[in-house]
Amino acid sequence: MNDLAIPSRLSAPLRTPTDLGAQARVDISGALTALLADMFALYLKTKNFHWHMSGPHFRDYHLMLDEQGDEIFATTDAIAERARKVGGTTLRSIGHIHRTQRLLDNDADYVTPEDMLAELGDDNRQLLSFLRATHVVCDNYNDVASTSLLENWIDEAERRSWFLFESTRAAR
């Protein structure tokens, strides 16, 4: 190997070979990248609320949000790797996340525990619609590996949404 070959290798496009086709590569990796940005946004908001939780149910809510944050974060590597496996690229920076995310941040100095849980419940339900839309894109191209992963993440988001909803219900 000579030194002249190095620059061309370093500037070669990151296009992993795939049998899904060029349009599938663009559509699937694009949908997964948007989903990944939302997962990072939801992860950080969940951790923000976990860190700033207060009140009489502090321990229960603090632990629940910690578990949910871990679950959300656990999806991120698999989402990014699916985008790469189908021949696309994915997020490259915090700025890229900010430009791509559809879920809103919450930078408020203080949020009540009830509002935290309600907002995270709404975000998880909105995430469910993004997960299902991404599933449709992947299913249209017969990307069974991505659809299989998405089905598990849909179930996890439904569970988070359910727990958050039940935690905000008034006792009867």
Side-chain angles (χ1 to χ4, degrees), residues 67-94:
E67 290 171 3
Q68 290 189 0
D70 289 348
E71 183 176 85
I72 294 163
F73 186 75
T75 68
T76 59
D77 196 48
I79 295 169
E81 288 182 359
R82 278 306 304 160
R84 293 288 291 124
K85 287 176 192 176
V86 301
T89 61
T90 192
L91 297 173
R92 299 183 185 278
S93 67
I94 300 255

Side-chain angles (χ1 to χ4, degrees), residues 91-165:
L91 297 173
R92 299 183 185 278
S93 67
I94 300 255
H96 194 175
I97 291 169
H98 179 71
R99 290 186 303 275
T100 307
Q101 75 186 70
R102 297 163 288 188
L103 294 176
L104 300 176
D105 294 330
N106 185 325
D107 296 329
D109 287 338
Y110 178 76
V111 181
T112 67
E114 296 78 18
D115 287 345
M116 288 179 181
L117 299 179
E119 187 171 333
L120 288 173
D122 290 343
D123 287 344
N124 275 278
R125 284 185 291 282
Q126 189 174 5
L127 181 70
L128 279 165
S129 69
F130 301 152
L131 286 160
R132 288 187 175 102
T134 304
H135 188 282
V136 169
V137 171
C138 296
D139 192 46
N140 285 340
Y141 290 107
N142 200 29
D143 178 5
V144 295
S146 293
T147 58
S148 177
L149 290 168
L150 286 157
E151 288 162 6
N152 289 321
W153 299 330
I154 289 168
D155 183 57
E156 290 173 359
E158 287 175 336
R159 184 174 191 266
R160 288 190 305 270
S161 178
W162 171 43
F163 274 48
L164 291 161
F165 171 75

Side-chain angles (χ1 to χ4, degrees), residues 18-30 86 137 141 143:
T18 179
D19 66 337
L20 293 172
Q23 194 59 52
R25 175 179 48 80
V26 170
D27 293 349
I28 294 170
S29 65
V86 301
V137 171
Y141 290 107
D143 178 5

